[in-house]
Amino acid sequence: MGALCSKSGTHSGGHTVLGSSSSATNTAGPSPSDPRTAAAEAAERRLKAAQKRGTTAANPNQGRLAAKLANQPKFVPEPRQEERLVWD
């Protein structure tokens, strides 16, 4: 059905292989040979990007609310107390 919706003249060029080393997203330099190291570096980049999300450099209070939230103690619900069933 895709051939019916497109014209052959609208697409020029070849195909793109995902994950190739010539990708524009790989700007951190050469990829390490160890897949675990590459995964760890990618996770660190995602974490840094998530921490910067929603902040701008022009804001004098940049990241203050996020830091306050990170330092706040986590909510841990109390363990459930099972009611004891007593027969009369």
Side-chain angles (χ1 to χ4, degrees):
M1 185 167 186
L4 297 175
C5 299
S6 64
K7 298 178 183 176
S8 62
T10 58
H11 180 70
S12 62
H15 63 281
T16 303
V17 178
L18 298 176
S20 66
S21 64
S22 64
S23 174
T25 59
N26 190 6
T27 58
S31 63
S33 59
D34 184 22
R36 295 176 67 190
T37 305
E41 288 177 1
E44 288 179 17
R45 283 193 303 268
R46 286 191 303 268
L47 178 65
K48 288 178 183 177
Q51 289 173 343
K52 287 186 176 187
R53 187 176 300 132
T55 62
T56 59
N59 184 359
N61 298 325
Q62 176 184 10
R64 194 168 110 200
L65 183 61
K68 187 185 288 187
L69 181 64
N71 291 334
Q72 190 176 26
K74 304 290 183 229
F75 173 74
V76 179
E78 294 181 19
R80 267 180 58 174
Q81 299 280 336
E82 292 293 328
E83 291 186 26
R84 299 182 80 189
L85 186 60
V86 179
W87 294 88
D88 290 338

